[in-house]
Amino acid sequence: MINSEAQQGGITTYDEAANIISEIGILPLATLLPDHPSLNSLTKAENWHTGSELDPWAWRARFPGEGIAAYGKFIKKKAILISKEWFPAYVAALGSGSTLEERYKNGLCSREALTLFRIIREDEGIETRRLRTEADMKATEKKTAFDNAVTELQGTLDIVISGVDERKNAEGEKSGWNSTSFETVSHWMEDSGISPFKGTRTEAKEWLKSEMDKVWSPAAKTWMYKAWKW
């Protein structure tokens, strides 16, 4: 279990946060599960959005960039970090066994999601603005459809948020808001040196349950099993 000091905001460095993610496997950015920490609860509020090395908001891009954890809206459309040790089993247990094209034919994914996935697959690490342009979804009235599609793809474990790019002007100076970049799950895992889970979907579920039993509270496990429909 997470010690009381950490639960009270005792995490101040990136390495400390990385250790926590490795220990508990799944860490939401904001409070989500009952009796389970989040990056927000583990860190000090005054360090957020400061742009310093102690800024947890900046860490969220470092974790996937350094292969420490997968990052995306994986559960109930909420931003989650999943450790590199747990992610292969998570994908095997909760991902789809069919391609996105097959799911689209069977009415199991949106046309926008398929369009975006194909673009991301051909341009791994593509950032949001360029992705919207390539998908012809740059117009304001298409923003909601775009946001829903990228969230859908994260929830089905087809893509991850692979980093955050700084927007710069012609002089190379920071200009405007940062932009999220995306990769397919398979590419991110391969690029991060993470091997797929060797086993069946049932075995992956049992692996996750076993690891959760070691460090998760009963309330957190119950909530997650309900979210996963297990």
Side-chain angles (χ1 to χ4, degrees), residues 2 5 50 78 90 100-101 103 113 115 120 123 130 150 173 175 180-181 194-195 207 210 226:
I2 301 300
E5 181 182 355
T50 59
K78 303 297 184 182
Y90 192 94
L100 210 66
E101 285 81 2
R103 278 176 272 156
T115 297
I120 294 168
D123 190 1
R130 195 165 79 251
V150 293
E173 300 169 334
S175 173
T180 302
S181 55
I194 301 172
S195 300
W207 188 96
S210 176
K226 185 177 180 180

Side-chain angles (χ1 to χ4, degrees), residues 21-22 25-28 67-72 74-75 80-88 90-91 94 157 188 194 208 228:
I21 296 170
S22 179
I26 298 175
L27 182 69
I68 299 297
Y71 174 46
F74 302 130
I75 302 169
I80 308 290
L81 292 157
I82 304 178
S83 74
K84 62 182 179 183
E85 295 87 359
W86 285 39
F87 195 60
Y90 192 94
V91 172
L94 294 150
L157 296 169
W188 179 81
I194 301 172
L208 287 173
W228 289 340

Side-chain angles (χ1 to χ4, degrees), residues 92-183:
L94 294 150
S96 175
S98 58
T99 67
L100 210 66
E101 285 81 2
E102 290 170 337
R103 278 176 272 156
Y104 177 70
K105 290 178 182 177
N106 293 323
L108 299 176
C109 89
S110 68
R111 176 178 56 81
E112 291 85 358
L114 178 61
T115 297
L116 295 182
F117 180 78
R118 285 173 166 170
I119 295 170
I120 294 168
R121 187 171 56 191
E122 294 300 315
D123 190 1
E124 300 282 2
I126 188 171
E127 54 86 26
T128 300
R129 288 182 298 273
R130 195 165 79 251
L131 178 58
R132 287 183 67 181
T133 299
E134 292 291 327
D136 192 25
M137 300 179 74
K138 196 174 181 180
T140 302
E141 62 270 20
K142 295 184 178 181
K143 185 179 186 303
T144 298
F146 175 86
D147 291 342
N148 289 342
V150 293
T151 298
E152 176 186 341
L153 288 169
Q154 292 166 68
T156 53
L157 296 169
D158 290 296
I159 67 170
V160 297
I161 297 173
S162 57
V164 178
D165 294 334
E166 285 191 350
R167 187 174 185 178
K168 297 181 179 180
N169 59 22
E171 287 72 40
E173 300 169 334
K174 186 175 179 179
S175 173
W177 294 100
N178 291 346
S179 181
T180 302
S181 55
F182 302 98
E183 291 181 21

